[in-house]
Amino acid sequence: MSDPIPFSTALRERSSTAHSGSEHAGFMADLLRGNGTREDYVNLVIQHWFIYAALEAAAERMRTDPVAAPFISDKLTRLPALEADLEFLVGDDWRERIEPLPTTQRYVDRINQVGAVWAGGFVAHHYTRYLGDLSGGLYIGKVMKRQFGFETNGIGFYIFDEVADPAEFKNVYREQLDAAPWDAAERERVIDEVLLAYRFNTELFEDLARAKESSAA
């Protein structure tokens, strides 16, 4: 009998199509190809702030949960960088000038819901965001820096100064996923939640594209 597939591998394989679809959504693809504007980028940063405010509040609630706690690391914290980016990009009054798009609000509501009561659901959203940030996110930061002439101001979200080796960090994270005490049914629930997170992400890009079209009309 062959050894069972590690959960991290099954999770990656089962979510690969959703991940790819999210990455290639029109708004994000345009931004990465140089067809987006600085305003497009700023609007993306704004939505990220709402998402990470919810995710990192959930992390604080989950720090004492024995299943969720191993995944939580202050090295990943993004909210201070996002706030510094928004101060640079929008201005000192950025808090009064931003609001979530409809999908962002649904995304935030879901993170708040699972992040209060379900360790597996929290880990699903944590995994989707932060491992993505340590993969494609690093590339996105470099592209935005080149396109818009940023130094570090404006792209702090994509800079992980405290993660010396992103590849090794991700390897350890996957080992933690494999070691999580989830039975087959719970693993399926976690995978489903990851797929939901990717769907939110794709729909957010669609919302951003619609908002852009409306402002241009």
Side-chain angles (χ1 to χ4, degrees), residues 23-36 136 139-144 146-147 158:
E23 283 187 334
H24 293 95
F27 176 89
M28 200 66 210
D30 285 347
L31 198 56
L32 290 173
R33 291 191 192 110
N35 297 326
Y139 169 74
I140 292 169
K142 291 176 182 177
V143 174
M144 297 303 101
R146 183 172 66 248
Q147 284 188 19
Y158 296 107

Side-chain angles (χ1 to χ4, degrees), residues 48-69:
H48 277 162
W49 182 83
F50 290 102
I51 294 164
Y52 284 83
L55 187 57
E56 293 179 6
E60 288 305 309
R61 292 193 295 271
M62 284 285 175
R63 279 186 185 273
T64 58
D65 184 279
V67 175

